[in-house]
Structures are given as C-alpha cells and as structure tokens.
Amino acid sequence: MASSCPCHNKLMLGAAVAAAALVAMHVSKGCCNKQCSGCNCPGCSNCNKKCSGCNCPGCPQCSKKCGKKEVAAADEDMKPCPAGKERYLVFGKNGWIGGMLQVLLKNQGKEFYLADSRCENRESVKRELQKYKPTHVLNAAGVTGMPNVDWCETNQEAALRSNVLGSMTVSDLCQELNIHCTLYATGCIFEYDETHKIGSGIGFKEDDAPNFDGSFYSKTKGFLEQMLRSYKTTLVLRLRMPITDELSPRNFVTKIVRYDKVVDVPNSMTLLTDMLPASLKMAEASLTGVYNFCNPGAISHNEVLNMYKEVIDPSFQYTNFTVEEQNKILAAKRSNNELDATKLNDALNKLGCPVPEIHDAFRNCFQRMKVKLIADHGENYKPFLPLKLSQSKK
C-alpha cells in the first residue's frame, strides 16, 4: 500500500531503485554518500520518522536536517574554563524556563552551551560534562505534562525517569566532577496544615519535610528533594506557579485567566522576570542546598485576577468555586501553600539583588505586560488576549 508521505514513497520504487535515488539526492547536496533509510528525517510532516544518521545537509522533500553533522563537529573536548571565568551548560534547552535562561545568559554575555542528552542517560550526560567542562550546570529539565500535571497520573514511568532519575543523575555526576549544579525544582510539595494555616503568614521553611502527595508530580518532586540534600554541589530552587511578562501557555496568569472557574487561595509564586536573574547570581556565588524560590509573601487568585482586570482588561470577568469542587474535575489535587522567604531574602540581599514582594512584583509585571501588548498590537490589543477555555472550544 502506498504511503501518503512523498519522501517515504521513494522506497516503494523498489529496493535497488530507491537506494540509487536516495544516494543521488545526497550526492547532489554534497553529502557523505551514505544511504538514508527512506528519508527518515526528524519532523517530516507526513512520516514523522527520524534520519538514521546519514549526515545529510537536508531532506530533499521536507528540508529538515538530521543534525548529525552539528553533533560531530562539537565532538572534540573543550579546554577547561580559565580561572575566574564561568561556563554554563543548560539542560532542558527546549523547555519554557530553559529557553528564558538562554536569553538571559546571552544578554549577560555569559559563555554557555546547550546539552543534548536525556538527563536519565548517565553515559551521555557524563560525556557532555566532560566535553564542555562547565563551571556551572543549570538544570531546567523535567516534565509537568501537557496541558497540566494531571498528565503525570497516567504517565508515571516517564515522570519518574525525568523528574527523579534524570535530576538525580545530573546532580550525582556534578558532584562526582565537582561542578556546581542549579536545579529549577518546585515548592508544590506542601499544603496548608494546622501549623501553617491559610492567611497566618507562617510559611514552610527549607528544612520542612514535604507534606503534600496529592499528585504524582508532587510525589516525585518531594521524594527527589529529600535525596538531593545529600549532594554538596547542588542548589535546589523551589519555584511555584511561575509567571512572566508575556501571556504564554505556561504562564500561571494565562492559565487562570482562561479557566471558567478559579479557586481563591493565597499562594507563594515566582515572578521569573525577577527571579531568574537572581538564580544566576546564586549560582555564581556557588550557593548550595534548598531555597524557597518565590517572591516574598503570598497572593490569592482573586487578587491576581483583579489586578489583571485593572491593568490589562477592564472587561474581564471570573467566577470562583471551592477547592472541593475543583478536586472533582481534576485527576490530581493541587498544592496550595505559602513558603517562608527569610533564607532567600538574606542571601539575595548579601548578593545585592533583592526581589520585590509578590503584590509589587505582579503590579510591575502587568504594567510591563501592557506596554508590550501596546507595542505589539496597538491600543486595541484585546483580540490578542487569552480566551476562556469554554470560548475557545466554540
């Protein structure tokens, strides 16, 4: 039966004819003369197969590259970083936070490289560490799932491999090779209890043991953190409900703006515009151990949405429901907590990079967001704002 993919159909001409045709294709592009296995390039819009490593400069049909040549070119080990200099290796290059770290490092003129390894592949990770010889590793790899952490409930093996085995592998090898490692982790491992009541202002501290395992995602992260405490070269940053100045799908603001109903619970949150530069300062200072990595204080969903309505969209409306009602429509429960910022504040003040309290941070964020919306779309930017989930399905 003929395939719908034009590049895959080359094979249907017959083995000998196909082989000759494929070799001719690669020769014409100055390739290595090896036979590609049916134009199995990554990302082909039809067959979605991967290239077998023929080192071709581009698929004749979809123009995608296998990337083999680029990897081979970087095969030679680098020299150690000069004394007093920093060299970063970023894991999680395709992720949301990983992408922001790349922009930040580039803007600061830092020397950095992007890891290709799956974090759970120990030999591959070790090879990249030996090749690039970084002074600092920034590990932003891991899975939360799409569209949210409910994904982990039905993909537990994948969640374990990435969130536990992968992170442990990177930290273990960094310990072995004496490389500082910063892990962008989570503070969604706690829930309010009798000692830490909602609205009390008493937050969970860095030495508190996780008390929330209502989702498999949080369970893996809580287990991981306890194990990572044994590594003396790892800095664990507990992020929560991360926010940026842009209304991207991963932004906590985008998520709750789109929900038809939201709970109203105060939480610690991480404004990445403030906090990611601070994380580099902490890495440069070789800080290690666990830190609650949120803007000081706690803010409720309603407070966030009211500020969004005030600054961004005066016509915006929302409806509340209870945590119990929310739990009925989710595959996994959600963590709600306040994290104590005392240790973080002390460290950042010493480093000369204090961060704003969460209410101030949000107002600054929304003001920057509005400026960018106007710059991109003009004063009438409302059509470009996120729609409610119920509206987007119409």
Side-chain angles (χ1 to χ4, degrees):
M1 181 180 295
S3 167
S4 61
C5 175
C7 49
H8 183 68
N9 280 340
K10 292 289 183 181
L11 292 181
M12 300 301 103
L13 299 174
V17 176
L22 289 164
V23 169
M25 288 177 185
H26 294 312
V27 170
S28 67
K29 287 183 174 284
C31 190
C32 59
N33 293 338
K34 293 182 180 179
Q35 181 183 346
C36 182
S37 61
C39 193
N40 295 334
C41 54
C44 173
S45 59
N46 289 295
C47 63
N48 199 32
K49 294 180 180 178
K50 295 183 178 180
C51 180
S52 61
C54 68
N55 216 18
C56 54
C59 165
Q61 296 293 333
C62 64
S63 299
K64 297 288 186 181
K65 297 181 181 181
C66 66
K68 184 70 174 180
K69 184 175 293 185
E70 181 180 353
V71 173
D75 218 23
E76 186 176 345
D77 287 4
M78 299 179 67
K79 294 181 179 179
C81 191
K85 300 291 185 179
E86 291 131 10
R87 178 184 296 161
Y88 293 84
L89 182 61
V90 178
F91 287 85
K93 63 179 182 179
N94 296 322
W96 184 42
I97 291 178
M100 285 185 281
L101 286 171
Q102 293 172 53
V103 173
L104 188 60
L105 289 165
K106 183 176 181 180
N107 289 344
Q108 292 188 7
K110 305 289 189 184
E111 181 186 0
F112 71 95
Y113 300 90
L114 306 178
D116 292 316
S117 304
R118 299 290 299 177
C119 290
E120 60 268 29
N121 187 333
R122 185 178 182 87
E123 290 185 2
S124 179
V125 171
K126 187 171 186 177
R127 180 70 192 104
E128 289 202 282
L129 292 173
Q130 291 172 329
K131 178 171 69 175
Y132 292 111
K133 297 180 176 61
T135 58
H136 296 79
V137 162
L138 303 178
N139 187 2
V143 295
T144 55
M146 288 294 287
N148 53 48
V149 296
D150 285 348
W151 179 89
C152 295
E153 302 300 313
T154 53
N155 295 271
Q156 295 188 5
E157 296 88 349
L160 279 171
R161 278 193 291 271
S162 180
N163 293 345
V164 178
L165 296 178
S167 297
M168 286 280 290
T169 296
V170 174
S171 286
D172 185 63
L173 286 169
C174 285
Q175 177 82 24
E176 179 182 315
L177 299 173
N178 196 30
I179 300 169
H180 186 275
C181 176
T182 300
L183 175 65
Y184 295 87
T186 183
C188 293
I189 54 177
F190 298 100
E191 63 179 346
Y192 288 112
D193 58 19
E194 287 300 312
T195 305
H196 311 83
K197 294 183 178 181
I198 296 177
S200 68
I202 301 174
F204 291 91
K205 296 185 178 182
E206 283 79 1
D207 55 357
D208 287 329
N211 72 343
F212 176 74
D213 61 359
S215 70
F216 191 76
Y217 169 80
S218 292
K219 187 182 294 185
T220 65
K221 292 293 190 175
F223 174 80
L224 171 67
E225 185 185 283
Q226 297 301 97
M227 300 300 102
L228 289 179
R229 291 177 184 273
S230 297
Y231 294 112
K232 305 306 180 185
T233 58
T234 293
L235 170 65
V236 179
L237 301 179
R238 291 174 174 169
L239 284 72
R240 293 209 69 237
M241 300 177 174
I243 304 106
T244 65
D245 298 352
E246 296 185 355
L247 291 167
S248 59
R250 289 286 189 182
N251 188 344
F252 174 74
V253 173
T254 306
K255 293 179 180 180
I256 62 173
V257 163
R258 297 197 69 204
Y259 292 156
D260 294 299
K261 294 182 179 181
V262 295
V263 296
D264 184 30
V265 184
N267 274 280
S268 288
M269 302 185 192
T270 304
L271 205 298
L272 295 173
T273 310
D274 302 323
M275 304 302 287
L276 287 186
S279 74
L280 295 187
K281 289 285 189 181
M282 296 173 77
E284 291 168 11
S286 297
L287 299 185
T288 58
V290 178
Y291 281 81
N292 291 332
F293 200 64
C294 302
N295 293 76
I299 189 168
S300 72
H301 294 60
N302 283 12
E303 287 178 297
V304 172
L305 293 176
N306 288 339
M307 205 179 298
Y308 175 86
K309 179 181 176 73
E310 175 191 343
V311 180
I312 303 296
D313 182 10
S315 67
F316 179 77
Q317 301 292 328
Y318 65 91
T319 303
N320 288 130
F321 67 156
T322 66
V323 172
E324 291 73 24
E325 289 172 322
Q326 176 186 251
N327 289 340
K328 292 178 181 178
I329 64 172
L330 298 174
K333 294 180 179 180
R334 299 296 190 262
S335 163
N336 292 293
N337 67 64
E338 180 175 351
L339 300 180
D340 185 283
T342 303
K343 180 180 177 181
L344 178 70
N345 277 338
D346 289 346
L348 295 185
N349 285 332
K350 289 178 182 177
L351 294 174
C353 56
V355 294
E357 189 272 340
I358 190 61
H359 293 81
D360 295 333
F362 259 108
R363 184 162 294 279
N364 295 339
C365 169
F366 284 137
Q367 289 172 346
R368 292 190 300 264
M369 185 183 292
K370 184 173 183 177
V371 169
K372 189 174 190 309
L373 284 167
I374 293 173
D376 291 345
H377 308 294
E379 294 286 345
N380 185 27
Y381 57 75
K382 185 175 178 180
F384 300 93
L385 297 178
L387 293 173
K388 295 284 187 186
L389 290 174
S390 57
Q391 293 175 317
S392 62
K393 292 177 182 177
K394 293 180 180 179

